[in-house]
Amino acid sequence: MTINFKAEVDKRRDELMKDLFSLLEINSERDDSQADAQHPFGPGPVKALEHFLAMAERDGYTTENIDNYAGHFEYGQGDEVLGIFAHLDVVPAGSGWRTDPYKPEVIDGQLYARGSSDDKGPTMACYYGLKIIKDLGLPVSKKVRFVVGTDEESGWADMDYYFQHAGVKAPDFGFSPDAEFPIINGEKGNITEYLHFAGTNAGAVQLRCFEGGLRENMVPESAAAVLAGNIDQQELEDALSLFLDAHPQVSGSVEAQTKGIRVEIIGKSAHGSTPQEGINGATYLAKFLIDFDIQGDARAFLEVTADLLHDDFQGQKLGVAYHDDRMGELTMNAGVFQFKEGAEDNTIALNFRYPQGTNPETIQKVLEKLAGVTRVSLAEHGHTPHYVPMDDPLVETLLSVYEKHTGLKGYEQVIGGGTFGRLLKRGVAFGAMFPDYENTMHQANEHTDVEDLYRAAAIYAEAIYELIK
């Protein structure tokens, strides 16, 4: 049986885009301030989950909502289960958008919205790939379980809860539509380590507070500090003007406040797995402040940030750099900065993507030797390195379909980003970004190419069918 999956996608273009728009209009950022028993990550992720499951029920699937942590539906029959794992939560929109991040808009063929490429757009393309198989009634010998989570961008507590409470066996193999084509069959380990500092101040200038970053897996777009003591606004403005002239890649401002003078530096956000693609507003702010007479623990906080973290994405200055021939370099994103004068526990969150051959404990021991750091703690949740060989039938099948649709040669990729593909021993990430695509995940003005979404949907349809027919 020969099916023209591209033609089948073309028949469903309008309905695919309509469904995607309705999902993108939901602000599904995690909001712990509104979290409760019914909304484990806040109301937004729950709303997106309920909307997606209602859509699946509309299309004839029987769905399961696992206590608003995650949900799934199944299609087909057979003893083997193909798992498809996607997520409906998004990182905070942040600032600097040319459009409303939750009012999707197509401009010059690009769909702008938070979640358009990570991961609502690819999720919808994959959903329609499976829908085509169902609509056509194609014969299958395996079962598909389509799982959507609501906490992928934070701690993966959704999947921890799902596997404990879903009441079904884990899929035998599967993929996540949350990365790149041709395939991601290797993922580095992922751990956040926290540098802790005390809160004393000394010197002629006091650092009242320093804050930067929204999430550990995002490059801080901006950071702000409040200064007091022997310093005035004009002095700060003059110094900042000189600093910005020397560093035109960032912008900044000075503002008088009741508790002191506020200084802000604005850079550019990026995904924490590719920190070199961003401009870290927090490390630039520390680099600016380091020339003032700030002493005590505040000085140690600034020195680590300005001298050891600024423009070092592989941990070389920290002494934790590591290379593996298959998985490549360790990378580091300095993601969240919090200092408050007098506080007993101030922190810098460092998100590491590490290859096989090193581990969080080894990194921790090195970081504990840093001057001014009182202790180093590890995040409760992390991931070890993951790899599926190229000769695995899952990988071979997915690459074969990709090559058929694109005419391009498939090849393996190992990334620093973490996807739900690693939830399964035989799990990978598959699409939906094509080679040479502009990656705007976790950035302002996130967008995806509309035609690429349709191309991806056709690839997903045929790939799923080849895996379960």
Side-chain angles (χ1 to χ4, degrees):
M1 179 183 298
T2 301
I3 308 295
N4 187 335
F5 288 101
K6 182 180 181 302
E8 294 298 330
V9 171
D10 288 342
K11 296 176 186 177
R12 296 164 175 82
R13 281 179 170 236
D14 291 344
E15 55 183 297
L16 187 161
M17 199 55 55
K18 181 180 178 181
D19 281 339
L20 176 55
F21 267 55
S22 68
L23 193 58
L24 291 170
E25 289 167 353
I26 299 172
N27 179 340
S28 54
E29 299 174 14
R30 177 170 175 160
D31 185 355
D32 290 338
S33 69
Q34 298 189 64
D36 55 33
Q38 285 72 44
H39 308 88
F41 313 112
V46 172
K47 185 177 180 182
L49 176 62
E50 292 176 339
H51 181 89
F52 183 86
L53 295 180
M55 181 185 70
E57 291 176 357
R58 175 203 69 192
D59 292 334
Y61 299 105
T62 299
T63 67
E64 292 285 342
N65 183 335
I66 313 301
D67 299 330
N68 285 338
Y69 280 80
H72 72 235
F73 64 85
E74 294 184 336
Y75 173 75
Q77 61 282 318
D79 294 331
E80 284 191 88
V81 179
L82 163 67
I84 298 174
F85 288 84
H87 70 91
L88 304 175
D89 60 307
V90 296
V91 297
S95 59
W97 285 75
R98 69 190 65 167
T99 62
D100 186 324
Y102 294 108
K103 290 184 179 179
E105 186 175 349
V106 177
I107 303 174
D108 297 329
Q110 303 295 317
L111 173 56
Y112 287 80
R114 178 56 92 214
S116 57
S117 63
D118 185 18
D119 180 40
K120 293 177 181 178
T123 298
M124 195 59 64
C126 195
Y127 176 87
Y128 266 80
L130 178 59
K131 186 176 185 297
I132 288 170
I133 296 171
K134 180 178 182 295
D135 288 348
L136 297 179
L138 301 180
V140 301
S141 63
K142 299 180 181 69
K143 185 181 293 184
V144 178
R145 184 178 306 134
F146 201 118
V147 185
V148 286
T150 60
D151 188 43
E152 194 272 350
E153 297 292 6
S154 297
W156 289 31
D158 54 347
M159 289 297 106
D160 291 341
Y161 191 93
Y162 175 81
F163 280 103
Q164 292 172 9
H165 297 86
V168 292
K169 75 166 188 171
D172 299 282
F173 59 100
F175 69 87
S176 175
D178 188 23
E180 307 170 9
F181 291 121
I183 203 164
I184 303 295
N185 59 310
E187 299 183 12
K188 297 177 185 178
N190 185 341
I191 190 66
T192 296
E193 308 213 3
Y194 302 91
L195 308 182
H196 295 260
F197 300 81
T200 65
N201 247 312
V205 180
Q206 288 84 53
L207 180 65
R208 298 298 191 211
C209 66
F210 184 114
E211 294 183 341
L214 297 172
R215 291 282 177 83
E216 296 155 1
N217 63 348
M218 298 174 67
V219 175
E221 176 186 62
S222 64
V226 175
L227 304 181
N230 187 21
I231 193 168
D232 61 37
Q233 183 172 349
Q234 188 61 52
E235 179 184 357
L236 266 177
E237 289 178 351
D238 292 344
L240 182 61
S241 179
L242 292 173
F243 182 83
L244 296 180
D245 286 344
H247 303 91
Q249 62 270 52
V250 297
S251 60
S253 62
V254 173
E255 177 187 7
Q257 296 185 340
T258 56
K259 295 183 179 181
I261 306 173
R262 182 179 185 272
V263 184
E264 182 180 29
I265 295 290
I266 300 175
K268 175 188 175 184
S269 185
H271 197 291
S273 66
T274 54
Q276 70 279 4
E277 296 179 3
I279 300 172
N280 194 314
T283 66
Y284 272 95
L285 177 59
K287 188 174 176 64
F288 169 65
L289 297 178
I290 202 71
D291 289 335
F292 293 92
D293 185 15
I294 300 170
Q295 303 299 326
D297 296 316
R299 182 76 185 180
F301 184 93
L302 292 177
E303 286 182 344
V304 168
T305 304
D307 298 340
L308 302 182
L309 303 181
H310 180 68
D311 275 354
D312 184 2
F313 310 115
Q314 297 178 351
Q316 293 176 343
K317 298 175 186 176
L318 291 174
V320 299
Y322 190 86
H323 173 83
D324 173 74
D325 289 342
R326 182 184 293 279
M327 289 193 157
E329 306 292 340
L330 171 149
T331 63
M332 177 194 70
N333 178 55
V336 181
F337 297 75
Q338 295 179 330
F339 180 91
K340 186 176 182 180
E341 182 183 33
E344 295 182 358
D345 197 22
N346 299 297
T347 57
I348 299 174
L350 304 179
N351 182 236
F352 292 96
R353 312 299 173 106
Y354 63 95
Q356 56 193 7
T358 188
N359 57 64
E361 291 73 24
T362 298
I363 298 170
Q364 182 182 22
K365 289 179 181 178
V366 176
L367 298 180
E368 288 173 339
K369 300 176 183 178
L370 296 176
V373 173
T374 60
R375 64 188 179 95
V376 178
S377 63
L378 302 183
E380 294 182 1
H381 190 85
H383 303 290
T384 57
H386 172 78
Y387 182 77
V388 181
M390 285 286 284
D391 59 0
D392 187 288
L394 168 67
V395 176
E396 292 180 336
T397 299
L398 295 177
L399 287 181
S400 175
V401 173
Y402 167 81
E403 291 174 349
K404 174 182 175 181
H405 278 257
T406 65
L408 302 173
K409 179 65 177 175
Y411 51 88
E412 78 170 2
Q413 294 186 97
V414 176
I415 62 168
T419 76
F420 281 164
R422 73 194 308 154
L423 290 167
L424 306 176
K425 184 177 181 181
R426 294 181 61 216
V428 300
F430 186 55
M433 291 195 303
F434 289 89
D436 300 324
Y437 179 78
E438 181 185 6
N439 183 356
T440 55
M441 291 183 180
H442 294 204
Q443 300 178 35
N445 303 308
E446 177 183 348
H447 58 271
T448 190
D449 187 284
V450 173
E451 291 299 321
D452 278 354
L453 279 183
Y454 297 139
R455 292 172 64 198
I459 291 174
Y460 286 136
E462 185 154 357
I464 295 170
Y465 184 54
E466 288 298 318
L467 291 169
I468 67 172
K469 69 180 182 180

